[in-house]
Amino acid sequence: MLDARAPDGTPMFIEEGATCPVHAPDDHPKIPPAKTGVLLANLGTPDGYDYWNMRRYLNEFLSDKRVVDYSAWIWQPLLQAVILTKRPFSSGAAYKSIWNEDAGESPLLTITKAQVSKIRDRLVGAHGDKLVVDFCMRYGNPSTRSKVREMIQAGCTRIVFFPLYPQYAGATTATANDQFFRALMAEKWQPSVRTVPAYFEHPSYIDALARSVERAYGAMETKPDVLVASYHGVPQRYLMEGDPYHCQCQKTSRLLKERLGWADTDIVTTFQSRFGPEEWLKPYTVEEVARLAEHGKKRIAVIAPAFSADCIETLEEINEEIRESFEEAGGEHFTYIPCLNEDDAHMEALVEVIEENLAGWV
């Protein structure tokens, strides 16, 4: 890319091959060849697990009104004076237990990079280099704004924005879209955009989930008594205010059960990661796995269909805290089935969703 600066001094990197429009004067800004961008977005990750990196990350996350919608004059003093004084230590310890030390990053970032590499190979292989494929994070780095800027400077006059959440929730999909549109507000020349809707019932996604369960069960000598589908929770109030997340989670579980050909009793839907004093969607995973153990279900498997990549909530919360709850209640065999991550069936499903949303643009 060619290094240049905008009139206000902002660094600009103009794509090689940029030219002035026909009949324009010689001093007209150069414009790169038109391209289409695909920008995938996930939740985010701290840059490190030390106190200050964790505090910056948690402050950004917990200050998001989509995540915690209490009045700022009540919430911010509590957040700044109490929560962000203590929580960076406990959260940092949790991240340290799963950190990819070799790469110096969280597993979520490592997996997302691998996912995007595979998706890029498939899409560019099908459509050529007129397609730009990249990723951003809602919180932390790489930021949504930085990646939107890069795509526009690379000549993207159209962008498909894809929040990597199978089920829609205000605290996930909506806030990712919010940040995307805030990034566009800073651009002089905005591209045409499309946002990808939730894909919780997409046949290829359901099939990829089912195949991961079949693969895990096929490797076991004895089949688990029940499969626990654990989704990230949200306050019960959000459901009553119109958020469709709960219903979409239930439908994902039902479609997964039907694809596997199972009975209703073979799978149970639960919700994890409760935070704060409010009632959240029930049953809570940490309590339900203990109840199952107490009622004779000594062998369980847990899957996390709301997560497109393994992260702190799956690698630490499910595989440690929730496992411990099950075993302390008398459970004997606990199996965590990893997220779909960069599994080929998952990548094909995501590419299929992207292709559907690229229709007419490539």
Side-chain angles (χ1 to χ4, degrees):
M1 292 186 177
L2 303 175
D3 191 356
R5 288 188 177 271
D8 64 357
T10 304
M12 297 177 63
F13 300 94
I14 307 302
E15 193 76 8
E16 294 283 359
T19 58
C20 292
V22 177
H23 307 306
D26 292 340
D27 62 351
H28 190 286
K30 291 186 176 181
I31 298 174
K35 297 182 180 180
T36 298
V38 176
L39 184 58
L40 299 99
N42 214 320
L43 180 76
T45 172
D47 294 327
Y49 50 76
D50 59 280
Y51 176 84
W52 289 109
N53 272 310
M54 288 304 311
R55 183 177 177 115
R56 279 192 294 272
Y57 175 74
L58 291 171
N59 182 51
E60 184 180 10
F61 175 53
L62 296 174
S63 293
D64 185 349
K65 292 286 287 183
R66 290 279 195 180
V67 175
V68 181
D69 62 356
Y70 301 146
S71 297
W73 68 273
I74 295 175
W75 175 242
Q76 280 298 320
L78 176 63
L79 176 64
Q80 301 300 328
V82 180
I83 296 172
L84 292 181
T85 300
K86 300 178 180 179
R87 185 154 179 151
F89 291 108
S90 59
S91 293
Y95 268 99
K96 184 177 181 179
S97 72
I98 65 166
W99 200 254
N100 181 349
E101 295 288 358
D102 290 339
E105 61 193 23
S106 74
L108 176 64
L109 184 55
T110 302
I111 293 166
T112 303
K113 287 178 178 178
Q115 289 175 326
V116 173
S117 178
K118 287 188 173 184
I119 291 171
R120 182 185 295 116
D121 287 345
R122 286 164 168 78
L123 290 174
V124 174
H127 302 291
D129 59 7
K130 289 292 184 70
L131 204 61
V132 178
V133 182
D134 210 338
F135 76 96
C136 63
M137 296 293 182
R138 170 60 184 89
Y139 314 104
N141 296 305
S143 70
T144 304
R145 182 168 183 175
S146 69
K147 289 300 178 178
V148 168
R149 172 59 60 89
E150 285 182 19
M151 283 195 162
I152 291 174
Q153 291 178 347
C156 292
T157 58
R158 297 166 170 170
I159 296 177
V160 171
F161 183 70
F162 189 1
L164 289 173
Y165 307 107
Q167 299 80 21
Y168 175 97
T172 54
T173 309
T175 190
N177 288 337
D178 289 345
Q179 194 73 349
F180 175 57
F181 286 112
R182 275 192 286 267
L184 291 174
M185 290 172 64
E187 298 300 328
K188 286 285 190 293
W189 187 355
Q190 292 180 331
S192 299
V193 299
R194 293 174 178 172
T195 58
V196 178
Y199 55 100
F200 65 98
E201 58 185 348
H202 197 285
S204 295
Y205 160 68
I206 297 297
D207 186 62
L209 277 180
R211 287 163 67 177
S212 74
V213 174
E214 291 168 340
R215 188 163 53 246
Y217 274 42
M220 301 179 196
E221 293 184 3
T222 304
K223 179 181 175 181
D225 299 316
V226 65
L227 174 68
V228 177
S230 180
Y231 297 82
H232 197 290
V234 297
Q236 174 74 16
R237 171 171 55 87
Y238 290 10
L239 168 63
M240 307 314 294
E241 292 172 350
D243 193 304
Y245 179 70
H246 177 266
C247 301
Q248 293 184 2
C249 292
Q250 294 288 353
K251 187 167 186 179
T252 295
S253 292
R254 176 174 64 79
L255 292 174
L256 175 60
K257 178 201 67 176
E258 292 172 355
R259 161 60 178 78
L260 291 166
W262 288 1
D264 291 346
T265 53
D266 291 334
I267 185 170
V268 59
T269 296
T270 64
F271 299 91
Q272 65 182 84
S273 308
R274 181 186 178 197
F275 175 78
E278 281 192 82
E279 181 176 296
W280 280 38
L281 297 177
K282 291 183 176 181
Y284 302 139
T285 305
V286 70
E287 296 177 0
E288 182 65 12
V289 296
R291 189 193 70 79
L292 289 169
E294 291 165 357
H295 286 76
K297 305 294 185 183
K298 301 300 184 181
R299 307 177 68 94
I300 69 169
V302 180
I303 192 171
F307 300 91
S308 61
D310 274 308
C311 55
I312 192 72
E313 286 86 359
T314 63
L315 297 174
E316 195 276 335
E317 185 179 359
I318 290 180
N319 223 7
E320 295 183 23
E321 178 186 347
I322 291 170
R323 177 193 291 270
E324 183 178 310
S325 176
F326 175 69
E327 292 175 347
E328 287 182 352
E332 298 173 359
H333 298 279
F334 181 101
T335 300
Y336 169 60
I337 300 174
C339 290
L340 296 176
N341 297 325
E342 68 266 34
D343 177 74
D344 285 342
H346 187 212
M347 297 301 91
E348 294 298 339
L350 295 183
V351 167
E352 193 172 325
V353 172
I354 293 168
E355 291 279 16
E356 291 168 2
N357 285 272
L358 280 170
W361 275 9
V362 294

